[in-house]
Structure formats: C-alpha cells, structure tokens
Amino acid sequence: MFDESSRTRRQVSRVLRDWLTPGVTIERADLTLTAWEVPDEPVPFDEAVTQEYSDISLPYAWSHPWGTTWFHVSGRVPQEWDPASDQRRHEIIVDLGFSDAGPGFQAEGAAYRPDGTMIKALEPLNRYIPIEAAPGEEFELYIEAAANPNVIEGDWVTPPTMGSKETAGTESIYTMTTCELRAIDTTVEALQADLTVLNDLVTVVDSPRREQIIRGLDRALDALDYDDLSGSAHEARQMLSDVLSAPASASATTAYAIGHAHIDSAWLWPLRETRRKVARTWSNVLHLMDVDPDVMFAASSAQQYQWLRDEHPDVFERLRQRVAEGRWVVVGGQWIESDPYMIGGEAMVRQFLEGQRFFQREFGVMPEHVWLPDSFGYSAALPTIARHMGMKWMLTQKLSWNETNTFPHHTLWWEGIDGSRIFTHFPPVDTYNSTLSPTDLHHAESTFRDSGGASRTLVPFGYGDGGGGPTREMLANAHRQKDLEGSPRVRIASPTDFFADAQTEYPDAPTWVGELYLENHRGVLTSQARTKRGNRRCEHLLREAEYWWTQAAVRTGADYPYDELHEIWQEVLLLQFHDILPGSSIAWVHREAEETFERLMERLNTLINDALSIVAGNGETPLTANASSAEQRGVGAGVIAHVSAQAPSSITIDEGDDGWQISNGVLNVHVTRDGLIDSLVDARRNREVVPAGQVLGRLNAYRDIPVDWDAWNIDGDYRRHPNPIDSVDALDVREEDGAAVVTCERSWGTSTFVQTMRIAPDSATVDFTTEVEWHERRRMLKLELPVDVLTTTAQSEIQCGHITRPIHENTSWEHARFETVGLRWVRVAEDDFGVAVANDRTYGHSFVRMRSDEGRPFVQIGESLLRAPMAPDPDADQGHHVLRTSLTVGAEIDDAIAQGQRMNLPVREVRGDHDVPALVTLDSGHALIEAVKLADDESGDVIVRFHETRGGRTTARFSVDIPHLASIHLVDGLERECEDEADLRADESGFDVDLKPFELVTVRMHRN
C-alpha cells in the first residue's frame, strides 16, 4: 500500500482550518455596544456601571497600555433560532484584538451580569461568553477589558518600554474586531475535536496503529460533505469510532490530569493585575465545572484566594462549594509560591503557617502537597521544613530547564539536611501548562525516567498567567484519550489521588539527597538588590518585633499585636514570590516592592520601639537590647541590659612606605596604598590568610551579558571579563571610636564607590562596608576575598542549618554550580582553621579554586553585590546601595552563625529603668533560636522554634524565664501537639531536648 499519510494529515489540517473551525458557527446575530474608558487604575464593577457609556462600532481601538475599558453589550436572541440543546448552544464570541502572543501575555477580559456577578473571562484561546437567554429574549452584560501589553516581544534581553506606565505610551495597542452572538453546532465541534486528537496522535505512534488511524481519517474525510457540515458530521464521526475506541496497551502509563493555571503573582504585570488574572481564570474554571462534571482543578497560594474572597465574593462562594465537593483541590499550603532559596528559615515556616491557617479557616482543609512548579532552585532545607509543617508530597518541574545535566529522576524521595524525606514528582510532561495533546502525553510517557518501577505521572493542564486555565478543548482531548491506543491512559484526578497511588506503587523510589540546584537562572540570586535588602531587613525586624512583644505580653500583660504582625508577615510573604524576590519582574513590580518594604520597615521599627518602651520601663538609664541568638557587645542573647564602660583596648596603626600596618591584638593587617589588604595574619596561630600575590577586598565589575534571560542568568564566561576597580580617588586611615578605619573612594565607568574597612580591638573580624552609586549596564559587581585555605568544599548557610557543596570541577555537575546561594554567611575551612564571610543582604556567592604566586591552591570567595540587567527592568539596580560584609578568621561554625546574627540583628540602644532577662536561653548544646512568639491561636502560649546548628547530635539545655509557666510540649510547625515527646524533658526552670543533625523543633509553653 502506498504511504499517503503525509497527504492525509495535511488534508485534515486544511479541513480543520478552512471548514470545521468556521463551520461550528451556524448562525450569527449583531449586538449593541457602548464603552467607557477608565481614566487611570482599574475600578470595581459598582463604580464602572454608573459611568456614562458612548456608542461604538467595530472595529474599535480601545484604551492604552495598562489601561482598562468597560463595554456594555446588549442584544436579543433571534426568535427564529432553535432553542439551545445538546446539538446546539448560544454564546457571544469576542475578539478584543488578540495577537499571536501567548495567552496571559496580552489583552484579557471579564464578563459580568448586570447584578455584578462574574460570568467568566475572555482570553485569546477562550473567547466565548455563554448566553442563558432563550430565542426571543433580550440580554445584557458588561465586559471589563484589560489592555495588558506584551512586555517581552521577541527575546528576554532587549530592554522593554512596557514595564511601567510611565514609559509604555498612551496609544491604543488593541482593537476590538468581533463581538457577536453565535449559534454553535456541537456535533461539528465534536468532529473537530476527534480529528484534532487523531491528527496529532498519528505523529507519535508506530505502525500498524499509525496506518489504522490514517485509514480512519481518510474514511471520515470521505464521509464529510463540505457543503453540509451539520448534516454529515455525525456520519464522519462514525467513521472514526473504531480508532477512537481502541483501548490503550497494557503497558501504557497513566497520566493523572489535573486542571491547573499557574499564575505568577507578579512578573510581567503588577500585583494589581494578578488580582484580576486570578478572578478571570478561576471564574473560567468554575464555569467549566458547571458544564462538565469531570473537571477537577488544583490551585495554590493562599494570597490569591484571599484576593478573590475580598474582591469577588460571589466567585469565592462558588469556589468554596467546589472545594467542599472535592473537585477544586487546594494545594501548596503556602501563602504564595515562594522563592525557596533566598527566604529565611522562619519565613519558610511562615509561608506554610499563614497559608495553612487561611485554608483551614476558609475551607476546613490543610493541603499535604508542596506545590512549587516554577521556582529557581530548591533549598535542601525544604524537606525538613515541609515535614515539620505536616506536608507529605511535593511537585515541581523546573529542573527540566537545566542547561548542563539532565536530572536523573521524575519520581523520587527527596531528602533534606536533617534526613527528612518527602515524596516528590517532576511531571515528565516538562510543563505545568499542558494542553493534553497527544504530543504532550507522548513526551511525558517516552521521557519518564522512572517507568521501570512506576507507571503513573501527573500532568497539570491549562493556560497559566492569566491565559484562562483549562479549556473545553483540553477536556475534549482528555475524554478522547481516557483509554486510547497509542496514548497513556488519561485520568482526570486530584494531586492527592496521584501522590497516594504513586507512593503506594513505588515506595522504594530512589532518594536524592540535598538541594535541587537549577543549572540556569543563577543571576536571580543578585538582581534587584533593593528588593532583596527589603526582604532581609523585614524578616529580621519581624523577629525583633515578635520577640519584644512576647516579652511585653508575658511580663506586663500588654496586648500582643496579633493582627498587625499577621498582616505584615503576609505582605512580606507575598513579596517573597518567585519572580519578585529573585528580581525577575518588570520595573513596576520592583518599585512597588521597594516602597512596600520601606513602609513595612517603618511600621516594624515603631512596633519594636513601642514594645521596648513597655518592657524596659520609663527610666532614662541607657540600655542595650539584643534580640539575636548571639551575645553582642557584652549583652546576652535576648537580653536588655545596662553595659558598663569597658577599659579601652589598644589598637595600633603604623604607616610605612607601602601602606599601613594595623594590629588589634588578634589580627595583624597590612593595608596597601590602594586601600586593599595584602596581608592578614591571625596572630593567635601566626597564620597568614591572604594568598601570596593576592589582595583582599577588591571590587571587580565583570562583563555580564548572558546569552538569554537578562535578569535571570549569569553565564560562566563572566570570569573571563574582569574589570578590577583599583583606582584611588581618596584614601584615609584613622582610629575612630577605638577601632581602625580605612576609607577608600574609588570610581570606575560611570559609578563611584566608597569602601570602608573597620577593625575593632580584640576582634578576629574585618568589617567591610561597600557604598556604591551604581550606574553601569550589564555588569556584575563582586567583592573578592581570596583566602589561603586548602579545601574542596564550602559551607553556606541555608534555612535551619547549612549545606556543604563541592567547589572543585571534577564533573559537569560541579562545573555547572558556579554561582550558589548563601544566606547570612558562608565558610571555607581546613581541618583546624576556617574563614567565615557574613553579609547583611547578599545571596549570590562564588567559590573559585585558584593558584597563588607560589603555586599553592587557595579559594577566592566572591560576593555578588550588584548586577545591571536591562530586561525586564531596564533600570535594575541603578542608584545608591550600601552593603555590609564581615570576614572572620579562625572561624568555627558557631563563629559564622554569630557573625550572621550580628550583621542582621544588631543591638538597639534604648532607655529604661531596669534590665530584662531573656525569655529562653540556650545553656548548653548546639542550637539556634529562630523565633520566639505567642501562639497563633491567641491562647497566650509562648512558641519557641530552634534547630541544631552543626550537623551533629547534641543535647540542648534551655533555661526559661517565663512567668506563670505551667507546661512545656513539643509541637509541629503548625503549633499542634506532637504525640511523641520522648526527646523533651521539662522541669520548672527549663527543658532539655535531644537533637539530631539539623533537626528543627518547635516548643509550646503554656502559661496559667
């Protein structure tokens, strides 16, 4: 038999395009249109409907970038039309001027009834509005049209103009071309779906199945009368019944299909637009649920649910009913789909705590699945914290974006730093926006790397980012591939069903230990430094506010500000979204984030000062308040105390021809005439830290031009394009407040720099302050700290502990890990000597093994301070920055932790009339207190959260000074009592707890 399959497929494609797509419409009727353009920001329905609307005709150019136009649509279903039925339905079709840009990246609309309830959305691939009127009846509705521009056109490196209202222009970018009533032939539509599935399926199957499908397609086309589609569609469908009823093979995998619509809470649009995207998309889903009883949908992010509840209560109530039915599945458990790399440990706990509180209160459910399909790497502490928060499963797929290495599993156990494991799935469909096409499903089945032991995969389907979510076309694909030869079996099911079944089937799935490093998008650890600064400061100010208000509540009976603290936490958690904190959003988003963080910092400082004034009393005695977990300036952790003046310690500064020699009793430091350190000797060990021929503290402005994804990526070749900043415009070496201070002013390009080094008496630490007026483009500024340490690993703080990573390049996995995240500190060490570098707002680090002038290997620690990408924000990082770094020699892990605390939780000078002891004090063992707060249930119980710090086993003894203490219990991260309290031994003065390596523990203290 001759192979004419190519001709058949081309013929089917033409029939779909030229006959069936237009042929589903059997009748049309015009509508009456009026419009009102919103002057500035969007307004609610109640305000919009009171405005004066003007008559319009199509085509109609409307609004401007980021603008909104409201349309009033009215009409009558023609009397002569047949009533809607299973073979016929009536709907309005609207084209707002949709382009070829992806759904979610252009104009969107929402349709409302006259009473203000939302019907559904209008999207590029979801253009219909159902009509409930019968023939002869009138109807009316309103359409809110959003002129969201396609910010990124063509590539991800060209500076866009549409990222803010100020630069987007005022000319209309959309023209409404269609708004008409149509009668749809559902039999022709069903034939269209049949042909679409089979014409795609034939491309991924082998003979003889392939030939059977081709023959069926030929027979269907022969049966179809192109001049009478309605009359012949049924017979054409009959010709396809055999190929569509052939069951899937016994070895076929099962694709658990769940409707989904990943909506970035801000990215190429501002937060205010996300609120509308959520309402539009979720109303679409609810409409689909009304017409198709098989539809199930999963959505995460308590923040998005809260927006819907507050702004569209009618939609929220419909959603609540579907949750109760089990068809709408709440997943994730977090406040937002956060960046799990850069947020602090307590912030990660609060993502779950605030999210689960909301879901329990609003729906009576608490999700058990972590849902983070799109974040840019995953901390090794996430399994630890997720298990502590009651989570069992996790979904992501982002590692399919790896540039260098292919991740070896799709279904696995992921083990965190404390040994906790979470059952994890990477959908092998490699997207969270599947259309359930045969091509998608074939990709999922053919690339499934665990098919030897597992037969189930998860396929999230639907258009995301405001594209409207699942569509009826996707559901048609699902129904036809429920049990179809050549395809995986498609089962519409919840993620809970999938994970329960997959874990039961594959309990011995392989284990991946440690972080899930994304070999891509490394630049997000540095881009948008002001956004990152705001996050870091707010995380630590929240710790202070909660601690001092807990002191105030338990010691004086003051009213703990529950509501305000929850509100601030929720705003901070929102800004930890995985396109805000990483710095990969448009200018509008980051300017708004910076303003929000400044406002929150002001509120938090006011809260802290109010609490301190209550706790310390009304006197005028100078006191020092230390909210950190490390002693600072002679004040214990968690203590308010009067500090007596200390006898001055000596520090010497001797000037020579080649610079200055500074000694403080612990360090001997030589500063060159360039304002850099070329010798740093630990006098306690007579150990030189600076490698031969190197200098410590140099700034380097590397060329930073990634091949793609400007704000997201750093390419490894940046190292080949250094620009050392060694100019000296002014240099001052002096003694100030008992410390040696070196200040050097520099300039390079169009930027200026003021570097300050401070060496305090009797300290093993050199403090660096880098003040920058930054006006470079596509450059990365690094602070370089070469240290004479022979090691192949580096330690970096992550949430609730630290991780040790290889820094050699023996394999492609290490080679690809050239930029990594560290929170407050990093450390490199030999067996008996370490160097720790701490910071107050930096996340991106590099560790490069190099050779000194003497041929000895050493490690250059690089802090990535600033970048200057131009897409999607052309002005990213421009302007003024102040960044603080410390380098401590002879540093153990405890020293690194203490420096991280000092840099981020500095003491406060207050006035009062008495000292105040700590509520909880670590007397022995190795643990770090991360939070002290009152319980969320407002019982007045005190919550203390801590973790083991060294990666070993320890017995930690905590003293407790809490009035009216009645009992102490272990609880989980959701503040629920644990059944097993064997590791906790409490008495009237405190408690002992046996800690495993990096174990995270929460304790609840009940007061009478």
Side-chain angles (χ1 to χ4, degrees), residues 840-855:
D840 72 337
R841 65 196 62 181
T842 298
Y843 295 93
H845 294 80
S846 59
F847 302 89
V848 183
R849 298 184 85 246
M850 303 175 72
R851 293 271 170 178
S852 70
D853 287 355
E854 297 174 345

Side-chain angles (χ1 to χ4, degrees), residues 609-622:
N609 291 332
D610 289 347
L612 286 171
S613 67
I614 294 171
V615 174
N618 296 321
E620 291 298 318
T621 302

Side-chain angles (χ1 to χ4, degrees), residues 24 26 83-89 183-189 230:
V24 298
I26 50 179
S85 64
D86 290 343
Q87 286 75 44
R88 178 189 179 104
R89 69 171 182 273
I184 304 299
D185 187 319
T186 57
T187 303
V188 175
E189 186 179 59
S230 294

Side-chain angles (χ1 to χ4, degrees), residues 970-991:
L970 287 177
V971 294
D972 65 9
L974 298 175
E975 303 176 5
R976 305 172 300 188
E977 286 196 19
C978 300
E979 294 181 2
D980 182 9
E981 296 196 13
D983 292 337
L984 179 70
R985 300 172 298 282
D987 55 42
E988 65 279 0
S989 63
F991 62 92

